[in-house]
Amino acid sequence: MFSMLGVFLLALNLPSSTKAFSNYGSSATHMSITRDVIMQKVAEVCREELDGLEFNPRDSSPEELVQACLGPKAKGEVSSVLFHKALREIYYPNGLVDRDFANSAPHHFNSEAFSEGRSLITQGMVAIKANIREENFKAARETLGRILHTLQDFYSHSNWVELGYTEPYINLIHPSLPLENLADVNTATCNDCSSGTCPNPVLPNILKEKKLTSGYMGIHSSAKPNGKCSHGGPTDMTSSVIPRGGISKDERRSDNSNLHDAAVKAATAASSQLLEDIRLAVGDSDFLRMMGIARASVLCFVIDTTGSMSDDIDEARSVVYKIIDSKKGTQDEPSEYILVPFNDPSFGPMIRTTDPEKMKAEISKLTATGGGDIPEMCLSGLQLALTGAPSSSQIYVFTDATAKDIALKDTIVALIRSTKSTVSFFMTGTSSRRRRSLRAASFEDYKDLALASGGQAIQVSKAQLPQATDIILDTSTSALVTVLQRARTAGTEETFPFTLDESLQNVTIYITGTSVTFTLTNPAGLNQNQGVVSGELGTIQTVGNLWRIHLNPDKQAGKWMINIKSTQAFTLKVTGQSTVTFIYDFVESFSGPHPGYAPLSGRPPAGRPATMMLSVIGRSGPSSVTVKEVGLVLVSGPESTTNSTIEDMGSGEILVTVDAVPEGEFVIILKGTDKVSNSDFQRQSTTQMSVSNVLIQAVVDSSVEPGKDFTLPFSVTTQGAGGVYTINAKNDRNFPMTFPNSLTLATGQYTNDTLTVQPPADTESGTDITLTIDAKSSSGADSNYVVLRMSVVTKITDFSPPQCENIIVAAHNCPDNVYMCGPFRWELSANITDENGTGIESISLRQGNGNFSHTVLPDPVVQVVYSASCCSQTVEIVAVDKVGNVGRCYHSIARSGSPPALHLSLLLWLCLLVSVFSGKP
């Protein structure tokens, strides 16, 4: 649990950063190591993926790294939002290990729990690789954050660096290699240190014999075996028991500075090794997708395929074709396509692909059939989309019927808030209440969900639908930002001010509602009303209940206003394209040995200040923007913003505290200055949020095994009125579950219970489950939720990597003088086998510019042949088995001195094989 502000930067060919995340997260150096290693590894992969194209980030910011990775491949604005979000999805679970597992020795390699700690790492690596195979990247990122924390703690909490080791302990990520020379429980390991700050209290004989130990940690107990080292520090009760003191190198002090620096360096290198193993197992493309290095636009359609939807399906197909064909080769081209059909009673499956031609083929297969009783399984299809699409996706729902599965509405709201995705509905029927139940669904439900997510609820006839889908072309784009969004539930006249900055492009204003008139005014005082289709300010379209105002490209930066008059409810939204934006999470502080901030899964607590962690993203990194104001504003209330205090956490992170939280549904508004253009900007979050007196706590502490019940403890409390609260739980896989239907809560007290999930035995390894638990008061006046993600992973017994055997190298023709290498060639052949393992899944050439081939992979022994010019002197072959174990074969014909070429080549090959496959340097 490194906890000071130290930073160790690997060479990135990027300018060095000066600080990491200050006090943000549970421990700054965990975050610093993780950030820097990810940046280094992503830079390395991108440089190789560009294959000769220029890779030249101007500084060490995530914005510049993403620009360098994606910019050379396509024209247009490059958004780094997905990368920032991916980093957060790694950072948060990393820090939460200190909160959720503070007293677990294996999670921190405390108390000599080496075998158990390594199991957490290796099981996590298996889960990550399985998740990536199933394209469940969010689950992979969360697990990665946790196991990186545990791996890094080994170097801070053990005596590895005191023993003089400078390289990582590779055996920690390779369970086929033994953990050697561990001190047993009866072996004393430390001298007494009454001051608590001795430079190295480890006993001399332990150092001489190279015995591995770690400090015992007791948060609630001072018990430890006789003579054992303690972790140390004020929260460790064992550190007051002889031998006193501790060997933790979490903080850099005058007495341990060299050891701390050595631990940071080793932890950094070890983290890099772990990332490299995952990269080799899954391939560069999926590794970068896991890291969020992808174009920001994702195209996600949820389509009703019942009998009356033929015209709608045709229009959806037309839009998909138009987006694919018009945006190909630009940064606006979607990085992923998701399609979820629904009918009655069926829905799904979710189809996802990065191949635009496959998306065309899949949507072309859709036909309208079945249905007939009006309500359909719309929300079930939407649930699949919300849990399968990346966070903050734009999701478009096509239907002409109300929702039969309206009982899912609360779950959908929880998922919208959790994922921050935006959902827009295209409704081509008339709202009906023919559903025979106590809770009759209507199109108003879709309008509620659209408003909650910041989307649009567009009601048109089937003939009008082609005119309405321009909004999809507008919003399925890179670097989409929201400037303003408001809603009014009754007829009114109101003027809405908003600020447009120089960085904004393709600014579009949307108004939904009937009986609407409006006047738009720019900073110079020019006006345009709804009656002027093409004017000095922009072009206006209207269809159904939608008004679309697209501003002219020469729009003026500054303060704009729109005056709206309506006799009915209406919504207003202003969007554009810009790389100046922000991402956020509502957070809560936690105490313990390493205090920090944790993201809230549900609604923020009522009756106390709201705290948010924001990442502010500028055109040229965080230093290119100045934040002036952050507040909360009611979407459907008066135009007033709450006051807040802002604390700069470094690297573009700011901690915002709002003392007076509005009553009702609110969003975040941020105002500042773009230093690149010296113009003021404003940005707004889209997802509505509100506070609650109810709190649900639950922690997933392991993966789930197919065919075996998984029991999840959870706790519920309320600061409001006690009584009976309804408990509801849903998962997106429809796996059977058992849980209490209700709990009786007493104010201020936790009530504990359990939920059991039963994944079928044939569940594919790597499947993730998104579980939503909500608790609602008997009156329905207060509720809250928690959204959890679990991975289903088959138990693995094969941890041995593929092996290289029967190596033959013919390099005797290669001249000693490399400058004469041109006319000559060398060749290598070998057999690669997985022996008694799961079998080889892939073989690839990692290094080398020659010709490479191999026999078919299902064979138990795969023959590989490599031939190259003698000028290309290095080859590395990577073999991956079916559970992700990686074998690496490296060979070089480079030589010095007089040994014969063939003999020296074989010697080098065998020596490197011993190194790679034994895990020993």
Side-chain angles (χ1 to χ4, degrees):
M1 302 176 199
F2 296 100
S3 62
M4 56 83 62
L5 208 87
V7 181
F8 180 84
L9 281 171
L10 286 175
L12 296 177
N13 289 333
L14 304 172
S16 298
S17 61
T18 57
K19 61 190 297 187
F21 280 87
S22 192
N23 297 322
Y24 160 55
S26 77
S27 48
T29 306
H30 270 303
M31 301 304 167
S32 303
I33 291 172
T34 301
R35 176 187 187 274
D36 296 331
V37 168
I38 289 173
M39 294 281 285
Q40 182 269 338
K41 188 58 65 176
V42 167
E44 178 184 324
V45 178
C46 285
R47 186 181 293 109
E48 294 182 14
E49 281 283 285
L50 287 174
D51 192 25
L53 295 175
E54 184 179 6
F55 178 82
N56 188 29
R58 294 174 296 182
D59 58 44
S60 61
S61 68
E63 291 89 335
E64 277 299 311
L65 179 55
V66 177
Q67 174 67 45
C69 289
L70 299 180
K73 294 183 177 181
K75 61 183 179 180
E77 292 279 4
V78 178
S79 171
S80 62
V81 167
L82 287 184
F83 186 41
H84 277 279
K85 289 175 180 175
L87 290 175
R88 281 201 168 196
E89 289 172 358
I90 296 169
Y91 293 155
Y92 278 136
N94 186 308
L96 284 174
V97 173
D98 281 336
R99 185 194 72 175
D100 297 337
F101 307 103
N103 208 30
S104 169
H107 282 85
H108 307 283
F109 279 107
N110 291 332
S111 308
E112 299 180 321
F114 294 114
S115 178
E116 300 87 346
R118 180 173 75 167
S119 291
L120 289 175
I121 295 170
T122 55
Q123 290 169 10
M125 292 175 69
V126 168
I128 290 167
K129 294 171 184 178
N131 284 144
I132 293 173
R133 281 196 185 98
E134 295 297 310
E135 298 187 289
N136 295 319
F137 298 110
K138 181 177 173 63
R141 287 190 284 265
E142 291 176 353
T143 303
L144 177 62
R146 286 191 289 270
I147 66 171
L148 282 175
H149 185 116
T150 299
L151 178 66
Q152 292 159 8
D153 270 353
F154 170 82
Y155 299 95
S156 175
H157 298 173
S158 76
N159 67 332
W160 180 257
V161 296
E162 285 92 334
L163 294 177
Y165 296 121
T166 58
E167 296 299 319
Y169 192 21
I170 193 69
N171 301 39
L172 293 179
I173 64 172
H174 290 299
S176 61
L177 304 176
L179 296 174
E180 299 175 316
N181 213 22
L182 307 181
D184 63 45
V185 69
N186 297 315
T187 299
T189 53
C190 263
N191 285 310
D192 184 44
C193 176
S194 59
S195 68
T197 57
C198 301
N200 186 354
V202 179
L203 289 170
N205 67 299
I206 296 296
L207 298 176
K208 182 179 179 180
E209 297 170 15
K210 299 285 187 179
K211 291 282 188 182
L212 189 61
T213 186
S214 68
Y216 280 71
M217 176 73 174
I219 297 176
H220 306 295
S221 170
S222 61
K224 68 176 179 179
N226 292 334
K228 287 296 184 182
C229 302
S230 289
H231 176 280
T235 59
D236 176 19
M237 296 178 65
T238 75
S239 64
S240 61
V241 176
I242 294 176
R244 292 165 292 184
I247 62 170
S248 165
K249 294 159 284 294
D250 288 345
E251 299 178 357
R252 195 176 195 274
R253 306 183 305 268
S254 59
D255 60 284
N256 78 342
S257 58
N258 290 337
L259 291 174
H260 170 85
D261 292 346
V264 171
K265 186 175 181 179
T268 302
S271 300
S272 182
Q273 285 182 342
L274 187 146
L275 290 181
E276 180 66 8
D277 183 273
I278 294 170
R279 171 197 176 183
L280 293 175
V282 303
D284 288 354
S285 177
D286 279 344
F287 180 82
L288 290 177
R289 289 178 70 194
M290 179 187 69
M291 290 301 176
I293 304 298
R295 295 181 301 277
S297 174
V298 174
L299 187 62
C300 182
F301 278 12
V302 180
I303 301 180
D304 184 344
T305 60
T306 52
S308 57
M309 285 290 292
S310 179
D311 291 343
D312 306 59
I313 292 172
D314 287 344
E315 176 57 22
R317 183 184 301 116
S318 173
V319 171
V320 167
Y321 275 54
K322 191 181 297 183
I323 289 173
I324 290 173
D325 294 338
S326 67
K327 300 190 176 186
K328 187 175 182 180
T330 72
Q331 293 296 338
D332 290 340
E333 181 181 359
S335 60
E336 188 171 4
Y337 302 88
I338 297 173
L339 177 63
V340 183
F342 67 90
N343 203 289
D344 181 22
S346 64
F347 59 92
M350 182 180 69
I351 300 161
R352 62 188 303 175
T353 180
T354 59
D355 182 357
E357 295 305 316
K358 182 179 179 181
M359 178 62 170
K360 283 183 176 181
E362 292 294 343
I363 200 168
S364 294
K365 294 177 185 177
L366 295 185
T367 57
T369 182
D373 63 347
I374 301 300
E376 316 297 354
M377 303 296 284
C378 179
L379 300 190
S380 296
L382 180 54
Q383 181 185 23
L384 282 182
L386 284 165
T387 57
S391 297
S392 303
S393 290
Q394 298 282 332
I395 299 173
Y396 309 100
V397 182
F398 291 79
T399 187
D400 62 0
T402 56
K404 176 175 285 187
D405 46 4
I406 194 62
L408 278 174
K409 186 176 179 181
D410 288 344
T411 298
I412 296 299
V413 171
L415 291 172
I416 284 170
R417 286 172 164 166
S418 174
T419 63
K420 303 184 181 72
S421 287
T422 302
V423 183
S424 292
F425 292 86
F426 293 87
M427 303 170 289
T428 57
T430 57
S431 182
S432 173
R433 293 187 176 273
R434 292 172 57 187
R435 186 173 184 269
R436 298 180 295 276
S437 73
L438 294 176
R439 167 64 174 94
S442 75
F443 279 175
E444 293 302 313
D445 295 304
Y446 297 154
K447 293 177 182 179
D448 293 343
L449 295 175
L451 183 60
S453 71
Q456 309 283 352
I458 300 167
Q459 196 164 358
V460 293
S461 69
K462 291 186 182 295
Q464 294 171 322
L465 183 59
Q467 302 170 58
T469 52
D470 279 348
I471 190 173
I472 302 177
L473 295 171
D474 296 339
T475 53
S476 60
T477 186
S478 178
L480 183 70
V481 297
T482 297
V483 176
L484 179 75
Q485 183 154 2
R486 296 289 183 269
R488 295 295 179 259
T489 57
T492 185
E493 178 180 355
E494 191 168 349
T495 298
F496 301 92
F498 56 94
T499 300
L500 300 183
D501 60 277
E502 294 284 357
S503 74
L504 282 167
Q505 301 176 30
N506 297 320
V507 178
T508 309
I509 302 170
Y510 306 98
I511 303 171
T512 61
T514 56
S515 305
V516 171
T517 60
F518 59 86
T519 300
L520 179 66
T521 305
N522 77 353
L526 291 176
N527 297 324
Q528 183 175 340
N529 63 37
Q530 78 285 343
V532 181
V533 174
S534 181
E536 293 182 286
L537 302 185
T539 56
I540 300 174
Q541 294 175 278
T542 180
V543 55
N545 70 332
L546 172 68
W547 291 86
R548 176 179 177 268
I549 309 136
H550 187 74
L551 298 193
N552 294 330
D554 59 352
K555 55 85 185 164
Q556 186 176 2
K559 186 175 181 180
W560 288 62
M561 293 183 293
I562 186 166
N563 177 270
I564 299 178
K565 298 178 185 178
S566 177
T567 59
Q568 304 292 328
F570 66 89
T571 67
L572 166 69
K573 186 172 185 178
V574 182
T575 69
Q577 278 184 280
S578 172
T579 55
V580 179
T581 187
F582 73 97
I583 60 174
Y584 70 96
D585 289 288
F586 287 92
V587 297
E588 62 180 349
S589 61
F590 63 87
S591 57
H594 300 275
Y597 293 95
L600 291 170
S601 177
R603 296 157 62 191
R608 67 178 77 171
T611 307
M612 300 162 283
M613 194 71 71
L614 275 67
S615 292
V616 184
I617 303 167
R619 286 197 272 181
S620 300
S623 62
S624 64
V625 294
T626 299
V627 177
K628 295 180 177 179
E629 177 186 339
V630 181
L632 304 178
V633 60
L634 291 171
V635 173
S636 301
E639 287 293 300
S640 61
T641 304
T642 58
N643 294 324
S644 65
T645 57
I646 300 174
E647 181 181 353
D648 186 357
M649 310 297 284
S651 296
E653 300 287 312
I654 58 175
L655 184 69
V656 179
T657 303
V658 178
D659 291 328
V661 180
E663 294 185 8
E665 300 289 332
F666 54 80
V667 292
I668 301 169
I669 189 164
L670 180 146
K671 297 181 179 180
T673 300
D674 171 27
K675 294 181 182 178
V676 175
S677 60
N678 196 31
S679 63
D680 290 339
F681 70 88
Q682 79 176 58
R683 300 290 186 268
Q684 182 183 299
S685 64
T686 56
T687 309
Q688 292 190 16
M689 185 56 76
S690 60
V691 297
S692 172
N693 284 304
V694 181
L695 176 64
I696 306 174
Q697 290 186 344
V699 175
V700 177
D701 61 359
S702 66
S703 58
V704 184
E705 197 170 340
K708 293 190 176 181
D709 290 358
F710 180 84
T711 300
L712 175 73
F714 68 95
S715 303
V716 186
T717 186
T718 180
Q719 297 302 318
V724 177
Y725 280 68
T726 301
I727 304 299
N728 191 25
K730 302 286 184 182
N731 72 77
D732 62 332
R733 303 290 178 180
N734 282 331
F735 290 163
M737 295 191 298
T738 56
F739 56 89
N741 293 323
S742 64
L743 292 176
T744 300
L745 305 184
T747 303
Q749 297 181 15
Y750 279 97
T751 299
N752 303 319
D753 216 304
T754 60
L755 176 149
T756 301
V757 184
Q758 301 158 332
D762 60 353
T763 305
E764 192 76 24
S765 185
T767 300
D768 70 338
I769 310 168
T770 301
L771 170 66
T772 306
I773 306 173
D774 62 70
K776 181 180 290 188
S777 64
S778 56
S779 67
D782 199 6
S783 65
N784 209 342
Y785 63 90
V786 64
V787 177
L788 304 167
R789 209 172 268 264
M790 298 179 285
S791 293
V792 181
V793 180
T794 303
K795 187 175 181 179
I796 299 300
T797 56
D798 172 19
F799 292 104
S800 298
Q803 302 289 318
C804 294
E805 299 173 345
N806 301 326
I807 307 117
I808 299 175
V809 178
H812 53 279
N813 288 331
C814 291
D816 291 337
N817 188 342
V818 294
Y819 296 105
M820 300 175 63
C821 61
F824 303 98
R825 299 186 65 81
W826 67 285
E827 185 174 288
L828 176 146
S829 63
N831 293 338
I832 298 182
T833 177
D834 199 33
E835 295 183 345
N836 297 320
T838 52
I840 297 171
E841 184 174 76
S842 67
I843 297 177
S844 59
L845 185 66
R846 182 75 176 82
Q847 292 186 55
N849 296 319
N851 300 318
F852 176 68
S853 63
H854 60 78
T855 56
V856 292
L857 291 181
D859 291 349
V861 177
V862 180
Q863 296 178 324
V864 298
V865 177
Y866 175 80
S867 64
S869 163
C870 291
C871 302
S872 179
Q873 299 189 324
T874 299
V875 62
E876 183 181 16
I877 300 167
V878 173
V880 182
D881 68 17
K882 293 181 179 179
V883 293
N885 295 311
V886 178
R888 301 170 67 180
C889 301
Y890 176 91
H891 179 72
S892 174
I893 62 169
R895 59 192 184 275
S896 60
S898 58
L902 179 59
H903 294 169
L904 181 58
S905 298
L906 287 172
L907 179 62
L908 286 170
W909 174 270
L910 293 173
C911 289
L912 284 163
L913 276 180
V914 170
S915 172
V916 171
F917 291 119
S918 71
K920 298 177 182 177

